[in-house]
Amino acid sequence: MTSERVTLRPEIAAMAPYQQGKPAAAEAFKLSSNENPFDPLPSVREAIAEASVNRYPDALAVALRERLAERFGVSAAQVQVGSGSVAVLSQLITAAASVGDEIVFSWRSFEAYPGLVAVAGATSVRVPNTPDERHDLDAMAAAITDRTRVVIVCSPNNPTGAIVTRDEFDAFMATVPASVLVVLDEAYIEFVTDPSAVRGTDVLHAHPNLVLLRTFSKAYGLAGLRVGYAVGPAYVMDAARAVAIPLSVIDAAQKAAIVSLDHEDELLERVTHLGALRDEIWQALVAQGWNSPRPHGNFIWLPTDERTLEAAEVFARHGIVVRALGEGVRISIGEREAVDNLLAAAAEVVRDL
Ligand SMILES: *Cc1c(COP(=O)(O)O)cnc(C)c1O
């Protein structure tokens, strides 16, 4: 036996393995992964039960792509489906960027971005959020160089919950070179009620370098099945398909996604409920003295700075599993039964901050 190790890409060897939201203890509420607390609809369960297992799935997810194309007023060629929207984002980054290329995104934003960029061999350019935890789109535009291949805009932003407004987005897009791909990550768009927020569907057709990224994981409650999608120019979607690992989107996921679109009204009622609960919890937190940005997704951001790990422990003691992310904790909106414990823990933390 030799102690020699194989040679890995150093930037990959240096990466921390994926950190999942902690599993909740038996009596605890898992509010660490922005999951949907509702059980699947009976029709979704049926679709999953009927899905093919011994056969490979439809590699091109034709039925689902056609269905999505119809709703976005585009062709099926302008839709790419992946095993989670993170997979589609990875395809887009890999298709557009490699060693020496730059990907611009706000920070703090979605934890997955830096890793996807590193895997492509490209370089992350993180543009700090404004003091009120929003994207600084002027600074993001200023960060674009000849090396920039992709800019990711996340609205609502995970984990701070802030939106980009339509006006901000329009002004930003006017400054971005046509050769730079802009990905608008709308993982939480269904939870947005603010009329000033940018909506991808309103701006997609105005920008030939824009791709929308959406998911069935959050509002539609299919996180465990892994299905998300992008909508954008056909040649960009073709490039994403070219780098995708074929057959990753299983039949159960394709079928469950279609049934979810069939029963969208029922699912969006749940979204409305979660949005109302979010606003109620946020108001109670503000009343406790928290300086928390107004939330627009299915989660709330509490700035805890250097007390973050301590704060997460206080929540855990109250049976609430949160996500500790550097300068703050992110708390998902889940079961109503969790609210009393959540607020009791938050009151304890804010008192000591
Ligand atoms: C949850 C999330 C996604 C979606 O992930 P899936 O791979 O579709 O489950 C994408 N972007 C952001 C910002 C998210 O928070």
Side-chain angles (χ1 to χ4, degrees), residues 163-201:
I163 46 156
V164 168
T165 68
R166 170 72 189 269
D167 291 346
E168 289 168 338
F169 189 79
D170 287 347
F172 171 74
M173 289 304 288
T175 70
V176 177
S179 59
V180 173
L181 173 64
V182 176
V183 177
L184 179 57
D185 187 341
E186 299 195 287
Y188 303 97
I189 187 69
E190 296 86 357
F191 295 95
V192 173
T193 54
D194 188 327
S196 72
V198 66
R199 289 181 177 275
T201 41

PDB file of all heavy atoms in Angstrom, residues 163-201:
ATOM      1  N   ILE A 163     -36.534  41.096  -3.065  1.00  0.00           N
ATOM      2  CA  ILE A 163     -36.820  41.024  -4.501  1.00  0.00           C
ATOM      3  C   ILE A 163     -36.013  42.068  -5.257  1.00  0.00           C
ATOM      4  O   ILE A 163     -35.580  43.073  -4.690  1.00  0.00           O
ATOM      5  CB  ILE A 163     -38.311  41.286  -4.803  1.00  0.00           C
ATOM      6  CG1 ILE A 163     -38.795  42.505  -4.015  1.00  0.00           C
ATOM      7  CG2 ILE A 163     -39.162  40.059  -4.581  1.00  0.00           C
ATOM      8  CD1 ILE A 163     -39.986  43.197  -4.597  1.00  0.00           C
ATOM      9  N   VAL A 164     -35.867  41.815  -6.549  1.00  0.00           N
ATOM     10  CA  VAL A 164     -35.427  42.838  -7.492  1.00  0.00           C
ATOM     11  C   VAL A 164     -36.706  43.419  -8.080  1.00  0.00           C
ATOM     12  O   VAL A 164     -37.626  42.673  -8.433  1.00  0.00           O
ATOM     13  CB  VAL A 164     -34.553  42.208  -8.592  1.00  0.00           C
ATOM     14  CG1 VAL A 164     -34.326  43.174  -9.737  1.00  0.00           C
ATOM     15  CG2 VAL A 164     -33.233  41.716  -8.005  1.00  0.00           C
ATOM     16  N   THR A 165     -36.788  44.746  -8.173  1.00  0.00           N
ATOM     17  CA  THR A 165     -38.001  45.320  -8.762  1.00  0.00           C
ATOM     18  C   THR A 165     -37.905  45.302 -10.288  1.00  0.00           C
ATOM     19  O   THR A 165     -36.824  45.175 -10.870  1.00  0.00           O
ATOM     20  CB  THR A 165     -38.228  46.779  -8.308  1.00  0.00           C
ATOM     21  OG1 THR A 165     -37.203  47.597  -8.872  1.00  0.00           O
ATOM     22  CG2 THR A 165     -38.233  46.900  -6.782  1.00  0.00           C
ATOM     23  N   ARG A 166     -39.058  45.451 -10.905  1.00  0.00           N
ATOM     24  CA  ARG A 166     -39.100  45.495 -12.366  1.00  0.00           C
ATOM     25  C   ARG A 166     -38.258  46.666 -12.892  1.00  0.00           C
ATOM     26  O   ARG A 166     -37.492  46.514 -13.850  1.00  0.00           O
ATOM     27  CB  ARG A 166     -40.564  45.630 -12.818  1.00  0.00           C
ATOM     28  CG  ARG A 166     -40.757  45.925 -14.292  1.00  0.00           C
ATOM     29  CD  ARG A 166     -40.440  44.707 -15.146  1.00  0.00           C
ATOM     30  NE  ARG A 166     -40.417  45.055 -16.562  1.00  0.00           N
ATOM     31  CZ  ARG A 166     -41.476  44.987 -17.374  1.00  0.00           C
ATOM     32  NH1 ARG A 166     -42.651  44.594 -16.895  1.00  0.00           N
ATOM     33  NH2 ARG A 166     -41.371  45.295 -18.639  1.00  0.00           N
ATOM     34  N   ASP A 167     -38.376  47.819 -12.245  1.00  0.00           N
ATOM     35  CA  ASP A 167     -37.616  48.992 -12.689  1.00  0.00           C
ATOM     36  C   ASP A 167     -36.113  48.744 -12.585  1.00  0.00           C
ATOM     37  O   ASP A 167     -35.349  49.084 -13.490  1.00  0.00           O
ATOM     38  CB  ASP A 167     -37.991  50.229 -11.861  1.00  0.00           C
ATOM     39  CG  ASP A 167     -39.410  50.695 -12.163  1.00  0.00           C
ATOM     40  OD1 ASP A 167     -39.989  50.232 -13.174  1.00  0.00           O
ATOM     41  OD2 ASP A 167     -39.936  51.520 -11.390  1.00  0.00           O
ATOM     42  N   GLU A 168     -35.707  48.173 -11.462  1.00  0.00           N
ATOM     43  CA  GLU A 168     -34.276  47.867 -11.287  1.00  0.00           C
ATOM     44  C   GLU A 168     -33.793  46.890 -12.351  1.00  0.00           C
ATOM     45  O   GLU A 168     -32.701  47.035 -12.906  1.00  0.00           O
ATOM     46  CB  GLU A 168     -34.036  47.246  -9.897  1.00  0.00           C
ATOM     47  CG  GLU A 168     -34.174  48.220  -8.735  1.00  0.00           C
ATOM     48  CD  GLU A 168     -34.207  47.507  -7.387  1.00  0.00           C
ATOM     49  OE1 GLU A 168     -34.543  46.301  -7.322  1.00  0.00           O
ATOM     50  OE2 GLU A 168     -33.909  48.171  -6.379  1.00  0.00           O
ATOM     51  N   PHE A 169     -34.627  45.907 -12.616  1.00  0.00           N
ATOM     52  CA  PHE A 169     -34.219  44.875 -13.577  1.00  0.00           C
ATOM     53  C   PHE A 169     -34.099  45.463 -14.980  1.00  0.00           C
ATOM     54  O   PHE A 169     -33.128  45.183 -15.695  1.00  0.00           O
ATOM     55  CB  PHE A 169     -35.215  43.714 -13.560  1.00  0.00           C
ATOM     56  CG  PHE A 169     -34.756  42.536 -14.359  1.00  0.00           C
ATOM     57  CD1 PHE A 169     -33.814  41.659 -13.844  1.00  0.00           C
ATOM     58  CD2 PHE A 169     -35.244  42.310 -15.640  1.00  0.00           C
ATOM     59  CE1 PHE A 169     -33.366  40.574 -14.580  1.00  0.00           C
ATOM     60  CE2 PHE A 169     -34.795  41.223 -16.390  1.00  0.00           C
ATOM     61  CZ  PHE A 169     -33.863  40.355 -15.852  1.00  0.00           C
ATOM     62  N   ASP A 170     -35.073  46.275 -15.368  1.00  0.00           N
ATOM     63  CA  ASP A 170     -35.035  46.886 -16.704  1.00  0.00           C
ATOM     64  C   ASP A 170     -33.780  47.746 -16.865  1.00  0.00           C
ATOM     65  O   ASP A 170     -33.101  47.693 -17.894  1.00  0.00           O
ATOM     66  CB  ASP A 170     -36.281  47.749 -16.931  1.00  0.00           C
ATOM     67  CG  ASP A 170     -37.529  46.909 -17.146  1.00  0.00           C
ATOM     68  OD1 ASP A 170     -37.403  45.686 -17.363  1.00  0.00           O
ATOM     69  OD2 ASP A 170     -38.637  47.483 -17.090  1.00  0.00           O
ATOM     70  N   ALA A 171     -33.489  48.553 -15.841  1.00  0.00           N
ATOM     71  CA  ALA A 171     -32.315  49.425 -15.912  1.00  0.00           C
ATOM     72  C   ALA A 171     -31.035  48.594 -15.999  1.00  0.00           C
ATOM     73  O   ALA A 171     -30.105  48.923 -16.745  1.00  0.00           O
ATOM     74  CB  ALA A 171     -32.271  50.344 -14.684  1.00  0.00           C
ATOM     75  N   PHE A 172     -31.011  47.499 -15.245  1.00  0.00           N
ATOM     76  CA  PHE A 172     -29.844  46.604 -15.262  1.00  0.00           C
ATOM     77  C   PHE A 172     -29.661  45.981 -16.645  1.00  0.00           C
ATOM     78  O   PHE A 172     -28.569  46.009 -17.216  1.00  0.00           O
ATOM     79  CB  PHE A 172     -30.036  45.529 -14.188  1.00  0.00           C
ATOM     80  CG  PHE A 172     -29.037  44.423 -14.232  1.00  0.00           C
ATOM     81  CD1 PHE A 172     -27.734  44.633 -13.804  1.00  0.00           C
ATOM     82  CD2 PHE A 172     -29.388  43.161 -14.696  1.00  0.00           C
ATOM     83  CE1 PHE A 172     -26.805  43.608 -13.834  1.00  0.00           C
ATOM     84  CE2 PHE A 172     -28.464  42.135 -14.734  1.00  0.00           C
ATOM     85  CZ  PHE A 172     -27.176  42.352 -14.304  1.00  0.00           C
ATOM     86  N   MET A 173     -30.725  45.420 -17.187  1.00  0.00           N
ATOM     87  CA  MET A 173     -30.624  44.731 -18.480  1.00  0.00           C
ATOM     88  C   MET A 173     -30.164  45.682 -19.584  1.00  0.00           C
ATOM     89  O   MET A 173     -29.487  45.256 -20.525  1.00  0.00           O
ATOM     90  CB  MET A 173     -31.956  44.079 -18.852  1.00  0.00           C
ATOM     91  CG  MET A 173     -32.328  42.866 -18.026  1.00  0.00           C
ATOM     92  SD  MET A 173     -31.088  41.533 -18.005  1.00  0.00           S
ATOM     93  CE  MET A 173     -31.223  40.872 -19.664  1.00  0.00           C
ATOM     94  N   ALA A 174     -30.508  46.944 -19.451  1.00  0.00           N
ATOM     95  CA  ALA A 174     -30.117  47.923 -20.472  1.00  0.00           C
ATOM     96  C   ALA A 174     -28.601  48.112 -20.509  1.00  0.00           C
ATOM     97  O   ALA A 174     -28.060  48.570 -21.517  1.00  0.00           O
ATOM     98  CB  ALA A 174     -30.816  49.251 -20.214  1.00  0.00           C
ATOM     99  N   THR A 175     -27.920  47.747 -19.426  1.00  0.00           N
ATOM    100  CA  THR A 175     -26.462  47.947 -19.379  1.00  0.00           C
ATOM    101  C   THR A 175     -25.682  46.665 -19.660  1.00  0.00           C
ATOM    102  O   THR A 175     -24.476  46.706 -19.824  1.00  0.00           O
ATOM    103  CB  THR A 175     -26.024  48.450 -17.981  1.00  0.00           C
ATOM    104  OG1 THR A 175     -26.174  47.376 -17.043  1.00  0.00           O
ATOM    105  CG2 THR A 175     -26.837  49.639 -17.537  1.00  0.00           C
ATOM    106  N   VAL A 176     -26.355  45.513 -19.662  1.00  0.00           N
ATOM    107  CA  VAL A 176     -25.638  44.244 -19.822  1.00  0.00           C
ATOM    108  C   VAL A 176     -25.380  43.984 -21.304  1.00  0.00           C
ATOM    109  O   VAL A 176     -26.315  44.037 -22.107  1.00  0.00           O
ATOM    110  CB  VAL A 176     -26.463  43.065 -19.226  1.00  0.00           C
ATOM    111  CG1 VAL A 176     -25.742  41.738 -19.450  1.00  0.00           C
ATOM    112  CG2 VAL A 176     -26.718  43.285 -17.747  1.00  0.00           C
ATOM    113  N   PRO A 177     -24.123  43.695 -21.672  1.00  0.00           N
ATOM    114  CA  PRO A 177     -23.847  43.393 -23.082  1.00  0.00           C
ATOM    115  C   PRO A 177     -24.680  42.204 -23.566  1.00  0.00           C
ATOM    116  O   PRO A 177     -24.941  41.265 -22.805  1.00  0.00           O
ATOM    117  CB  PRO A 177     -22.352  43.025 -23.071  1.00  0.00           C
ATOM    118  CG  PRO A 177     -21.794  43.584 -21.812  1.00  0.00           C
ATOM    119  CD  PRO A 177     -22.916  43.628 -20.829  1.00  0.00           C
ATOM    120  N   ALA A 178     -25.077  42.260 -24.840  1.00  0.00           N
ATOM    121  CA  ALA A 178     -25.943  41.213 -25.398  1.00  0.00           C
ATOM    122  C   ALA A 178     -25.263  39.848 -25.409  1.00  0.00           C
ATOM    123  O   ALA A 178     -25.924  38.819 -25.502  1.00  0.00           O
ATOM    124  CB  ALA A 178     -26.357  41.595 -26.812  1.00  0.00           C
ATOM    125  N   SER A 179     -23.930  39.834 -25.282  1.00  0.00           N
ATOM    126  CA  SER A 179     -23.199  38.561 -25.321  1.00  0.00           C
ATOM    127  C   SER A 179     -23.132  37.877 -23.954  1.00  0.00           C
ATOM    128  O   SER A 179     -22.615  36.769 -23.836  1.00  0.00           O
ATOM    129  CB  SER A 179     -21.777  38.808 -25.820  1.00  0.00           C
ATOM    130  OG  SER A 179     -21.132  39.734 -24.958  1.00  0.00           O
ATOM    131  N   VAL A 180     -23.631  38.541 -22.925  1.00  0.00           N
ATOM    132  CA  VAL A 180     -23.586  37.974 -21.568  1.00  0.00           C
ATOM    133  C   VAL A 180     -24.946  37.391 -21.216  1.00  0.00           C
ATOM    134  O   VAL A 180     -25.971  38.078 -21.307  1.00  0.00           O
ATOM    135  CB  VAL A 180     -23.184  39.053 -20.531  1.00  0.00           C
ATOM    136  CG1 VAL A 180     -23.297  38.519 -19.106  1.00  0.00           C
ATOM    137  CG2 VAL A 180     -21.775  39.554 -20.810  1.00  0.00           C
ATOM    138  N   LEU A 181     -24.939  36.128 -20.816  1.00  0.00           N
ATOM    139  CA  LEU A 181     -26.173  35.455 -20.434  1.00  0.00           C
ATOM    140  C   LEU A 181     -26.612  35.917 -19.044  1.00  0.00           C
ATOM    141  O   LEU A 181     -25.807  35.908 -18.104  1.00  0.00           O
ATOM    142  CB  LEU A 181     -25.933  33.937 -20.412  1.00  0.00           C
ATOM    143  CG  LEU A 181     -27.049  33.050 -19.874  1.00  0.00           C
ATOM    144  CD1 LEU A 181     -28.294  33.150 -20.761  1.00  0.00           C
ATOM    145  CD2 LEU A 181     -26.576  31.596 -19.775  1.00  0.00           C
ATOM    146  N   VAL A 182     -27.854  36.338 -18.922  1.00  0.00           N
ATOM    147  CA  VAL A 182     -28.417  36.663 -17.613  1.00  0.00           C
ATOM    148  C   VAL A 182     -29.405  35.561 -17.233  1.00  0.00           C
ATOM    149  O   VAL A 182     -30.318  35.244 -18.007  1.00  0.00           O
ATOM    150  CB  VAL A 182     -29.130  38.032 -17.619  1.00  0.00           C
ATOM    151  CG1 VAL A 182     -29.787  38.305 -16.259  1.00  0.00           C
ATOM    152  CG2 VAL A 182     -28.135  39.141 -17.957  1.00  0.00           C
ATOM    153  N   VAL A 183     -29.182  34.956 -16.063  1.00  0.00           N
ATOM    154  CA  VAL A 183     -30.095  33.937 -15.554  1.00  0.00           C
ATOM    155  C   VAL A 183     -30.887  34.555 -14.408  1.00  0.00           C
ATOM    156  O   VAL A 183     -30.306  35.010 -13.425  1.00  0.00           O
ATOM    157  CB  VAL A 183     -29.330  32.692 -15.057  1.00  0.00           C
ATOM    158  CG1 VAL A 183     -30.301  31.676 -14.460  1.00  0.00           C
ATOM    159  CG2 VAL A 183     -28.524  32.063 -16.188  1.00  0.00           C
ATOM    160  N   LEU A 184     -32.195  34.611 -14.563  1.00  0.00           N
ATOM    161  CA  LEU A 184     -33.064  35.116 -13.499  1.00  0.00           C
ATOM    162  C   LEU A 184     -33.610  33.902 -12.746  1.00  0.00           C
ATOM    163  O   LEU A 184     -34.453  33.163 -13.262  1.00  0.00           O
ATOM    164  CB  LEU A 184     -34.195  35.955 -14.093  1.00  0.00           C
ATOM    165  CG  LEU A 184     -35.211  36.552 -13.112  1.00  0.00           C
ATOM    166  CD1 LEU A 184     -34.542  37.428 -12.051  1.00  0.00           C
ATOM    167  CD2 LEU A 184     -36.282  37.351 -13.862  1.00  0.00           C
ATOM    168  N   ASP A 185     -33.066  33.681 -11.543  1.00  0.00           N
ATOM    169  CA  ASP A 185     -33.444  32.516 -10.735  1.00  0.00           C
ATOM    170  C   ASP A 185     -34.710  32.867  -9.957  1.00  0.00           C
ATOM    171  O   ASP A 185     -34.684  33.667  -9.018  1.00  0.00           O
ATOM    172  CB  ASP A 185     -32.289  32.159  -9.792  1.00  0.00           C
ATOM    173  CG  ASP A 185     -32.534  30.862  -9.030  1.00  0.00           C
ATOM    174  OD1 ASP A 185     -33.700  30.422  -8.941  1.00  0.00           O
ATOM    175  OD2 ASP A 185     -31.555  30.297  -8.505  1.00  0.00           O
ATOM    176  N   GLU A 186     -35.797  32.249 -10.369  1.00  0.00           N
ATOM    177  CA  GLU A 186     -37.116  32.551  -9.782  1.00  0.00           C
ATOM    178  C   GLU A 186     -37.669  31.360  -8.994  1.00  0.00           C
ATOM    179  O   GLU A 186     -38.858  31.051  -9.075  1.00  0.00           O
ATOM    180  CB  GLU A 186     -38.107  32.926 -10.894  1.00  0.00           C
ATOM    181  CG  GLU A 186     -37.698  34.152 -11.681  1.00  0.00           C
ATOM    182  CD  GLU A 186     -38.861  34.700 -12.497  1.00  0.00           C
ATOM    183  OE1 GLU A 186     -39.230  34.069 -13.503  1.00  0.00           O
ATOM    184  OE2 GLU A 186     -39.406  35.747 -12.116  1.00  0.00           O
ATOM    185  N   ALA A 187     -36.792  30.736  -8.198  1.00  0.00           N
ATOM    186  CA  ALA A 187     -37.208  29.545  -7.454  1.00  0.00           C
ATOM    187  C   ALA A 187     -38.412  29.813  -6.554  1.00  0.00           C
ATOM    188  O   ALA A 187     -39.187  28.902  -6.256  1.00  0.00           O
ATOM    189  CB  ALA A 187     -36.044  29.014  -6.626  1.00  0.00           C
ATOM    190  N   TYR A 188     -38.577  31.072  -6.136  1.00  0.00           N
ATOM    191  CA  TYR A 188     -39.647  31.404  -5.168  1.00  0.00           C
ATOM    192  C   TYR A 188     -40.677  32.376  -5.735  1.00  0.00           C
ATOM    193  O   TYR A 188     -41.423  32.996  -4.971  1.00  0.00           O
ATOM    194  CB  TYR A 188     -39.008  31.993  -3.900  1.00  0.00           C
ATOM    195  CG  TYR A 188     -37.996  31.074  -3.276  1.00  0.00           C
ATOM    196  CD1 TYR A 188     -36.638  31.229  -3.530  1.00  0.00           C
ATOM    197  CD2 TYR A 188     -38.404  30.012  -2.461  1.00  0.00           C
ATOM    198  CE1 TYR A 188     -35.705  30.366  -2.983  1.00  0.00           C
ATOM    199  CE2 TYR A 188     -37.478  29.148  -1.908  1.00  0.00           C
ATOM    200  CZ  TYR A 188     -36.136  29.329  -2.178  1.00  0.00           C
ATOM    201  OH  TYR A 188     -35.210  28.465  -1.634  1.00  0.00           O
ATOM    202  N   ILE A 189     -40.723  32.520  -7.041  1.00  0.00           N
ATOM    203  CA  ILE A 189     -41.567  33.551  -7.645  1.00  0.00           C
ATOM    204  C   ILE A 189     -43.045  33.379  -7.273  1.00  0.00           C
ATOM    205  O   ILE A 189     -43.768  34.368  -7.126  1.00  0.00           O
ATOM    206  CB  ILE A 189     -41.396  33.568  -9.191  1.00  0.00           C
ATOM    207  CG1 ILE A 189     -42.127  34.746  -9.826  1.00  0.00           C
ATOM    208  CG2 ILE A 189     -41.854  32.273  -9.833  1.00  0.00           C
ATOM    209  CD1 ILE A 189     -41.519  36.084  -9.519  1.00  0.00           C
ATOM    210  N   GLU A 190     -43.492  32.149  -7.077  1.00  0.00           N
ATOM    211  CA  GLU A 190     -44.915  31.930  -6.782  1.00  0.00           C
ATOM    212  C   GLU A 190     -45.324  32.529  -5.439  1.00  0.00           C
ATOM    213  O   GLU A 190     -46.507  32.745  -5.187  1.00  0.00           O
ATOM    214  CB  GLU A 190     -45.238  30.425  -6.791  1.00  0.00           C
ATOM    215  CG  GLU A 190     -45.044  29.749  -8.151  1.00  0.00           C
ATOM    216  CD  GLU A 190     -43.609  29.283  -8.385  1.00  0.00           C
ATOM    217  OE1 GLU A 190     -42.728  29.535  -7.512  1.00  0.00           O
ATOM    218  OE2 GLU A 190     -43.365  28.688  -9.447  1.00  0.00           O
ATOM    219  N   PHE A 191     -44.352  32.787  -4.571  1.00  0.00           N
ATOM    220  CA  PHE A 191     -44.660  33.339  -3.246  1.00  0.00           C
ATOM    221  C   PHE A 191     -44.693  34.870  -3.247  1.00  0.00           C
ATOM    222  O   PHE A 191     -45.012  35.489  -2.232  1.00  0.00           O
ATOM    223  CB  PHE A 191     -43.615  32.862  -2.219  1.00  0.00           C
ATOM    224  CG  PHE A 191     -43.639  31.376  -1.989  1.00  0.00           C
ATOM    225  CD1 PHE A 191     -42.793  30.534  -2.686  1.00  0.00           C
ATOM    226  CD2 PHE A 191     -44.531  30.811  -1.082  1.00  0.00           C
ATOM    227  CE1 PHE A 191     -42.820  29.157  -2.488  1.00  0.00           C
ATOM    228  CE2 PHE A 191     -44.575  29.439  -0.873  1.00  0.00           C
ATOM    229  CZ  PHE A 191     -43.716  28.607  -1.580  1.00  0.00           C
ATOM    230  N   VAL A 192     -44.339  35.473  -4.376  1.00  0.00           N
ATOM    231  CA  VAL A 192     -44.222  36.933  -4.433  1.00  0.00           C
ATOM    232  C   VAL A 192     -45.598  37.570  -4.612  1.00  0.00           C
ATOM    233  O   VAL A 192     -46.360  37.163  -5.493  1.00  0.00           O
ATOM    234  CB  VAL A 192     -43.303  37.351  -5.598  1.00  0.00           C
ATOM    235  CG1 VAL A 192     -43.311  38.863  -5.768  1.00  0.00           C
ATOM    236  CG2 VAL A 192     -41.894  36.844  -5.371  1.00  0.00           C
ATOM    237  N   THR A 193     -45.896  38.549  -3.774  1.00  0.00           N
ATOM    238  CA  THR A 193     -47.155  39.289  -3.912  1.00  0.00           C
ATOM    239  C   THR A 193     -46.915  40.762  -4.233  1.00  0.00           C
ATOM    240  O   THR A 193     -47.844  41.465  -4.623  1.00  0.00           O
ATOM    241  CB  THR A 193     -47.986  39.196  -2.608  1.00  0.00           C
ATOM    242  OG1 THR A 193     -47.161  39.616  -1.523  1.00  0.00           O
ATOM    243  CG2 THR A 193     -48.466  37.775  -2.356  1.00  0.00           C
ATOM    244  N   ASP A 194     -45.684  41.240  -4.061  1.00  0.00           N
ATOM    245  CA  ASP A 194     -45.379  42.648  -4.289  1.00  0.00           C
ATOM    246  C   ASP A 194     -45.474  42.979  -5.783  1.00  0.00           C
ATOM    247  O   ASP A 194     -44.746  42.392  -6.599  1.00  0.00           O
ATOM    248  CB  ASP A 194     -43.956  42.921  -3.784  1.00  0.00           C
ATOM    249  CG  ASP A 194     -43.607  44.404  -3.791  1.00  0.00           C
ATOM    250  OD1 ASP A 194     -44.112  45.119  -4.682  1.00  0.00           O
ATOM    251  OD2 ASP A 194     -42.841  44.830  -2.923  1.00  0.00           O
ATOM    252  N   PRO A 195     -46.370  43.895  -6.157  1.00  0.00           N
ATOM    253  CA  PRO A 195     -46.547  44.186  -7.584  1.00  0.00           C
ATOM    254  C   PRO A 195     -45.350  44.866  -8.238  1.00  0.00           C
ATOM    255  O   PRO A 195     -45.245  44.880  -9.464  1.00  0.00           O
ATOM    256  CB  PRO A 195     -47.779  45.111  -7.608  1.00  0.00           C
ATOM    257  CG  PRO A 195     -47.892  45.658  -6.226  1.00  0.00           C
ATOM    258  CD  PRO A 195     -47.282  44.665  -5.291  1.00  0.00           C
ATOM    259  N   SER A 196     -44.419  45.412  -7.428  1.00  0.00           N
ATOM    260  CA  SER A 196     -43.257  46.066  -8.040  1.00  0.00           C
ATOM    261  C   SER A 196     -42.164  45.066  -8.416  1.00  0.00           C
ATOM    262  O   SER A 196     -41.185  45.410  -9.077  1.00  0.00           O
ATOM    263  CB  SER A 196     -42.686  47.128  -7.087  1.00  0.00           C
ATOM    264  OG  SER A 196     -42.028  46.516  -5.993  1.00  0.00           O
ATOM    265  N   ALA A 197     -42.321  43.806  -8.000  1.00  0.00           N
ATOM    266  CA  ALA A 197     -41.274  42.804  -8.253  1.00  0.00           C
ATOM    267  C   ALA A 197     -41.169  42.469  -9.733  1.00  0.00           C
ATOM    268  O   ALA A 197     -42.174  42.463 -10.455  1.00  0.00           O
ATOM    269  CB  ALA A 197     -41.589  41.528  -7.465  1.00  0.00           C
ATOM    270  N   VAL A 198     -39.951  42.170 -10.175  1.00  0.00           N
ATOM    271  CA  VAL A 198     -39.788  41.698 -11.546  1.00  0.00           C
ATOM    272  C   VAL A 198     -40.384  40.295 -11.645  1.00  0.00           C
ATOM    273  O   VAL A 198     -40.296  39.498 -10.715  1.00  0.00           O
ATOM    274  CB  VAL A 198     -38.294  41.692 -11.963  1.00  0.00           C
ATOM    275  CG1 VAL A 198     -37.475  40.683 -11.186  1.00  0.00           C
ATOM    276  CG2 VAL A 198     -38.174  41.433 -13.465  1.00  0.00           C
ATOM    277  N   ARG A 199     -41.046  40.040 -12.770  1.00  0.00           N
ATOM    278  CA  ARG A 199     -41.551  38.696 -13.063  1.00  0.00           C
ATOM    279  C   ARG A 199     -40.986  38.299 -14.409  1.00  0.00           C
ATOM    280  O   ARG A 199     -41.182  39.007 -15.402  1.00  0.00           O
ATOM    281  CB  ARG A 199     -43.079  38.684 -13.121  1.00  0.00           C
ATOM    282  CG  ARG A 199     -43.667  38.851 -11.749  1.00  0.00           C
ATOM    283  CD  ARG A 199     -45.185  38.832 -11.719  1.00  0.00           C
ATOM    284  NE  ARG A 199     -45.582  38.938 -10.346  1.00  0.00           N
ATOM    285  CZ  ARG A 199     -45.689  37.903  -9.509  1.00  0.00           C
ATOM    286  NH1 ARG A 199     -45.478  36.681  -9.958  1.00  0.00           N
ATOM    287  NH2 ARG A 199     -45.991  38.085  -8.253  1.00  0.00           N
ATOM    288  N   GLY A 200     -40.335  37.166 -14.428  1.00  0.00           N
ATOM    289  CA  GLY A 200     -39.661  36.732 -15.650  1.00  0.00           C
ATOM    290  C   GLY A 200     -40.572  36.707 -16.860  1.00  0.00           C
ATOM    291  O   GLY A 200     -40.169  37.071 -17.967  1.00  0.00           O
ATOM    292  N   THR A 201     -41.802  36.294 -16.616  1.00  0.00           N
ATOM    293  CA  THR A 201     -42.735  36.184 -17.744  1.00  0.00           C
ATOM    294  C   THR A 201     -42.988  37.541 -18.394  1.00  0.00           C
ATOM    295  O   THR A 201     -43.289  37.608 -19.577  1.00  0.00           O
ATOM    296  CB  THR A 201     -44.075  35.588 -17.263  1.00  0.00           C
ATOM    297  OG1 THR A 201     -44.398  36.172 -16.007  1.00  0.00           O
ATOM    298  CG2 THR A 201     -43.970  34.086 -17.098  1.00  0.00           C
TER     299      THR A 201
END
